[in-house]
Amino acid sequence: MTLSNNQKRKMKTAARLYAVQALFQMEASGQTVDQVTREFEDHRLGAVYDDAEMTEGDVDTFRALMEKAVDDQAAIDQMTDRALVAKWPIARIDPTWRALFRAAGAELTLKQTPPKVVISEFVGVAEAFSADGKEPKFVNAVLDHMAREAQPEAFGG
């Protein structure tokens, strides 16, 4: 079966959401990247809960984000710290946003997707986790700073 470009885009979007969830789970549970990746691939990507089918995630995108986020976590966290106000180091950020910044930072440093697309996609993920609607603006500002650092050439710098 051949997938349309729209289906591929939706699967990549889902993979980003799953990567944020998996990175959050790793931090909360202490599981390894291999354990969490296997669990998500076997049980979460495209799962059905109470007759609601989850979107099938693009496995290659999911794996790439997970591997890069874990392998380069220190560098991504430092990039995130530089994007945050000095009073708010990444250690003080909610674990959900920490996971999101790690997944987005991984995609930005992979340099396979235009940074404005990465920002837009992860702001969309933030909207899914936002309780009061303020967080997506915060996420957008931090990711814009990170993108300009990771891919200055995309911003004319």
Side-chain angles (χ1 to χ4, degrees):
M1 178 176 96
T2 304
L3 298 174
S4 70
N5 284 340
N6 191 41
Q7 288 170 308
K8 290 177 187 175
R9 185 185 55 75
K10 286 181 179 179
M11 289 174 71
K12 283 188 172 196
T13 296
R16 291 176 179 105
L17 175 69
Y18 291 133
V20 171
Q21 291 174 326
L23 289 165
F24 176 89
Q25 182 174 321
M26 279 181 62
E27 183 174 337
S29 69
Q31 292 174 289
T32 67
V33 67
D34 292 335
Q35 290 170 316
V36 172
T37 299
R38 194 169 29 258
E39 177 185 331
F40 270 74
E41 288 179 12
D42 291 349
H43 303 292
R44 305 255 179 115
L45 279 68
V48 177
Y49 300 103
D50 297 327
D51 298 325
E53 187 172 341
M54 304 302 289
T55 302
E56 185 68 41
D58 180 76
V59 175
D60 292 336
T61 299
F62 175 73
R63 286 181 185 162
L65 294 178
M66 292 299 294
E67 288 173 21
K68 186 73 168 173
V70 170
D71 290 347
D72 294 352
Q73 180 177 321
I76 292 168
D77 284 358
Q78 289 169 0
M79 184 170 54
T80 305
D81 271 337
R82 288 188 291 275
L84 295 167
V85 179
K87 292 182 273 186
W88 289 99
I90 194 165
R92 288 186 63 191
I93 298 295
D94 181 274
T96 302
W97 307 125
R98 207 168 26 246
L100 184 143
F101 293 139
R102 287 173 178 157
E107 189 160 6
L108 288 168
T109 57
L110 284 168
K111 298 184 179 187
Q112 296 173 344
T113 305
K116 290 180 181 181
V117 172
V118 175
I119 293 168
S120 176
E121 287 287 316
F122 280 97
V123 166
V125 171
E127 289 169 353
F129 291 116
S130 179
D132 62 12
K134 295 177 185 171
E135 292 92 348
K137 291 177 185 173
F138 164 69
V139 167
N140 185 69
V142 172
L143 292 182
D144 182 70
H145 190 283
M146 291 172 67
R148 289 173 189 276
E149 180 179 331
Q151 296 187 40
E153 66 282 357
F155 296 90

